[in-house]
Structure formats: structure tokens, C-alpha cells
Amino acid sequence: MIQIREATLEDIPYITTIFRDSITHVNAKDYSEKQIRVWTSGALDIDIWKDRIMNSYFIVAELKDTVVGFAYLTKGNYFDGLYVHKDHLRRGFGIKLMRIIESQALAKGYEVLKADVSITSLPFFEDQYYLVEKKQKKNYKGLAFEIYKVYKEL
């Protein structure tokens, strides 16, 4: 049974592991080794993860008391992150996390949810009725990453 709850600071080791492993194993087909290395280095900045948990709507998905995914919402209607453990993909965790994030934005009075998504996750978001606003390059630690700005009317 999937349980969704708000993240706590104690979840950071699980969250950063999922973040790193997801990028390494799932996104590797769409990004270079150097891009993967730079992107996964974001797992090491614990202060940023603490800030996200304390200042965002940040939720985790659990299966048998093990964190298997997470998502977070910033600025009220910016879907800032969605990651599911590589061994738990295509089991409904991502969709459940997404629906709760969407519900939270709607409850706060927003009619549109926005996100920047990777090449890898674009098909998942499109399958959930997100529309591409534009394709763009995003600079992260000196490297350009191809991403998509998407939105969904709630």
C-alpha cells in the first residue's frame, strides 16, 4: 500500500539516494556522463535539501516504511521536482505524487501548474496532460541541459 506524507529532515538520506540513483540509472540514456555527474552532485548539498523540505510543500511516497519517491512544490504553483526510485517505476507512485502536488496547488488557488522537466520525464508529463510551452537550455553548474517548460491547467 502506498503511503504519502510530508517529508521530514530525517528523510534526506533516502531522498538524496533516490535523486542520485534515478538520474544515474534512468536519465543516463538522455544525458552525457559529464551532465549526469554534475546533476547528481546536487545530492551532496544537504543545506538545499533541508531548505526545500522546510520551505516547500515536499512529500514522500512510502512502501512498507521505505521511501520510494518524492515530489515538491515551490512558489505555490511550480512543480519543482518528482523522482521515483529506479526499482519502483511504473507502479503508480509518480502519478499519485503528481496528483497530490496538483491538488495542493489547486487548494492554494492556482489554476495552472508549471514545471521544467527533463527529456527523460517529458513523456510521463505529457501522458498526464501537461503541455510543452517551450524547449530550452538550462545552465546548471556551468553545463547546458536541454529541458522542457511545461504547464497544466488544473
Side-chain angles (χ1 to χ4, degrees), residues 91-123:
R91 295 187 186 173
F93 295 104
I95 289 172
K96 187 155 188 166
L97 287 163
M98 179 180 276
R99 294 293 173 258
I100 293 170
I101 291 290
E102 290 170 352
S103 294
Q104 178 70 12
L106 195 56
K108 295 288 184 186
Y110 292 95
E111 296 178 1
V112 176
L113 193 59
K114 298 179 178 191
D116 291 328
V117 301
S118 69
I119 298 165
T120 314
S121 63
L122 180 62

Side-chain angles (χ1 to χ4, degrees), residues 109-150:
Y110 292 95
E111 296 178 1
V112 176
L113 193 59
K114 298 179 178 191
D116 291 328
V117 301
S118 69
I119 298 165
T120 314
S121 63
L122 180 62
F124 173 77
F125 277 82
E126 288 179 321
D127 287 348
Q128 303 307 313
Y129 307 104
Y130 283 75
L131 301 172
V132 174
E133 184 178 319
K134 67 180 176 179
K135 181 178 171 180
Q136 61 187 16
K137 298 276 186 194
K138 190 172 191 177
N139 187 21
Y140 180 66
K141 296 187 178 183
L143 280 182
F145 288 80
E146 187 174 294
I147 62 165
Y148 294 84
K149 185 172 281 302
V150 299

